[in-house]
Coordinates of all heavy atoms in Angstrom, one line a residue:
I183 N 83.2 111.1 89.2 CA 82.1 110.1 89.0 C 82.5 108.9 88.2 O 83.1 109.1 87.1 CB 80.9 110.8 88.3 CG1 80.4 112.0 89.2 CG2 79.7 109.8 88.1 CD1 79.3 112.8 88.5
G184 N 82.3 107.7 88.7 CA 82.8 106.5 88.1 C 84.2 106.1 88.5 O 84.6 105.0 88.3
L185 N 84.9 107.0 89.2 CA 86.2 106.7 89.8 C 86.0 106.3 91.2 O 86.5 105.3 91.7 CB 87.1 107.9 89.6 CG 88.5 107.8 90.2 CD1 89.3 106.7 89.5 CD2 89.2 109.2 90.2
V186 N 85.3 107.2 92.0 CA 85.1 107.0 93.4 C 83.6 106.9 93.7 O 82.8 107.7 93.3 CB 85.7 108.1 94.2 CG1 85.5 107.9 95.7 CG2 87.2 108.3 93.9
E187 N 83.2 105.8 94.3 CA 81.8 105.6 94.6 C 81.4 106.5 95.8 O 80.2 107.0 95.8 CB 81.5 104.1 95.0 CG 81.8 103.1 93.9 CD 80.7 103.3 92.8 OE1 79.5 103.5 93.1 OE2 81.1 103.2 91.6
G188 N 82.3 106.7 96.7 CA 82.0 107.5 97.9 C 83.3 107.7 98.7 O 84.3 107.0 98.5
A189 N 83.3 108.7 99.5 CA 84.4 109.1 100.3 C 84.0 109.6 101.7 O 82.9 110.1 101.9 CB 85.3 110.1 99.6
V190 N 85.0 109.5 102.6 CA 84.8 110.0 104.0 C 86.0 110.8 104.3 O 87.2 110.3 104.2 CB 84.5 108.9 105.0 CG1 84.4 109.5 106.4 CG2 83.3 108.1 104.7
S191 N 85.8 112.0 104.8 CA 86.9 112.8 105.3 C 86.7 113.0 106.8 O 85.6 113.4 107.3 CB 86.8 114.2 104.7 OG 87.7 115.1 105.3
I192 N 87.7 112.6 107.6 CA 87.6 112.5 109.1 C 88.5 113.6 109.7 O 89.7 113.5 109.5 CB 87.9 111.1 109.6 CG1 87.0 110.1 109.0 CG2 87.9 111.1 111.1 CD1 87.4 108.7 109.3
C193 N 88.0 114.5 110.4 CA 88.7 115.5 111.2 C 89.7 116.2 110.3 O 90.9 116.5 110.7 CB 89.5 114.8 112.3 SG 88.3 114.1 113.6
A194 N 89.3 116.6 109.1 CA 90.2 117.3 108.2 C 90.3 118.8 108.6 O 89.2 119.4 108.9 CB 89.6 117.2 106.8
P195 N 91.5 119.4 108.6 CA 91.6 120.8 108.9 C 91.3 121.6 107.6 O 92.2 122.2 107.0 CB 93.1 120.9 109.3 CG 93.8 119.9 108.5 CD 92.8 118.7 108.4
I196 N 90.0 121.7 107.3 CA 89.6 122.2 106.0 C 89.8 123.7 105.9 O 89.7 124.3 104.8 CB 88.1 121.8 105.7 CG1 87.2 122.3 106.8 CG2 88.0 120.3 105.5 CD1 85.8 122.2 106.6
D197 N 90.1 124.4 107.0 CA 90.5 125.8 107.0 C 91.9 125.7 107.6 O 92.0 125.8 108.9 CB 89.5 126.6 107.8 CG 89.9 128.1 107.7 OD1 91.1 128.4 107.6 OD2 89.0 129.0 107.9
L198 N 92.9 125.7 106.8 CA 94.3 125.5 107.3 C 94.8 126.7 108.1 O 95.6 126.6 109.0 CB 95.2 125.2 106.2 CG 95.0 123.9 105.5 CD1 95.8 123.8 104.1 CD2 95.4 122.7 106.4
V199 N 94.3 127.9 107.8 CA 94.7 129.1 108.5 C 94.1 129.0 109.9 O 94.8 129.2 110.9 CB 94.2 130.3 107.8 CG1 94.6 131.6 108.6 CG2 94.9 130.4 106.4
A200 N 92.8 128.7 110.0 CA 92.2 128.6 111.3 C 92.8 127.5 112.1 O 93.0 127.6 113.4 CB 90.7 128.4 111.2
G201 N 93.0 126.3 111.5 CA 93.6 125.2 112.2 C 95.0 125.4 112.7 O 95.3 125.0 113.8
S202 N 95.8 126.0 111.8 CA 97.2 126.3 112.2 C 97.3 127.3 113.4 O 98.1 127.2 114.2 CB 98.0 126.8 111.0 OG 98.0 125.8 110.0

Side-chain angles (χ1 to χ4, degrees):
I183 299 173
L185 176 65
V186 179
E187 296 292 322
V190 177
S191 170
I192 300 171
C193 297
I196 56 173
D197 183 331
L198 293 167
V199 177
S202 296

